[in-house]
Amino acid sequence: LLEDYRKISVERRGIEEKDFFTSQQVKECMMKVTPCVLEETVVIAPDFEIRPYYAGHVLGAAMFYVRVGQQSFLYTGDYNMTPDRHLGSARCDRLRPDLMITESTYATTIRESKRWRERDLLNQVSECVRAGGKVLIPVFALGRAQELCLLLDAFWERTGLDVPIYFSAGLTEKANWYYKM
C-alpha cells in the first residue's frame, strides 16, 4: 500500500519526488517490519508485550493489545463484530484493557439493518437493469468491492439475471488475489 500511495502521490498528483518518499525508502522501511501472528503474544521486553487480534474489517486488519507493566490498552482502527460474506467478525480474548483507542466515524450513527440496506440496493439495481439501464457503484477496493460482488452474484443466481458485472482493476484485482489464498 505504501508503494501504491507513493505512485499515486508522485506520479499522478505531480508531487515532487524530492518532497516525498522514494520506492527505495519503502523497501528499506519494509525490511524493518517484524510480522506478527494473530493471537500470539510478542514479548518486546520482560514487562512489555503485544498481542494482535483479527479485526474483521478488511483483509489484514488487526487490533493490538499492548501491555506495559500493569497498564494495558487495545488499539484498533475500524473493526467489525458482524461477519460479512467475505470476512468473519472480529475476535479476541476477553480483555479488560485500561484504555481502548479506536476509530469512530460511525460511533453515533444509527443505520437501518444491513439486511434492509442490501435488499434496498438490490431492488434498485434490479429495477434499473431490467429497464435496460446500467449501474455504476463506486466502492473502496479493499473489502467492499468483494462483498458487493458476492452479494450481486448471489442475487443474479437467485433471480436469473444474465447481465455481466464489471469492476475496476488495480487494487481490487490485487485484493481479490489475496482473498483467494
Side-chain angles (χ1 to χ4, degrees), residues 82-102:
T82 306
D84 287 330
R85 286 168 184 79
H86 70 297
L87 292 174
S89 61
R91 61 182 179 271
C92 67
D93 297 330
R94 190 174 201 95
L95 303 171
R96 297 193 62 96
D98 297 297
L99 174 68
M100 180 174 174
I101 304 168
T102 183

Side-chain angles (χ1 to χ4, degrees), residues 95-147:
L95 303 171
R96 297 193 62 96
D98 297 297
L99 174 68
M100 180 174 174
I101 304 168
T102 183
E103 191 278 336
S104 62
T105 302
Y106 298 108
T108 60
T109 302
I110 299 173
R111 299 189 289 180
E112 299 289 342
S113 74
K114 181 178 175 182
R115 181 172 285 177
W116 187 90
R117 291 189 321 265
E118 287 178 350
R119 192 174 331 135
D120 185 49
L121 172 70
L122 292 172
N123 286 337
Q124 290 182 39
V125 168
S126 178
E127 274 182 42
C128 181
V129 169
R130 289 181 195 281
K134 295 180 178 16
V135 178
L136 175 65
I137 307 171
V139 294
F140 291 112
L142 194 57
R144 295 297 157 231
Q146 290 75 20
E147 181 78 5

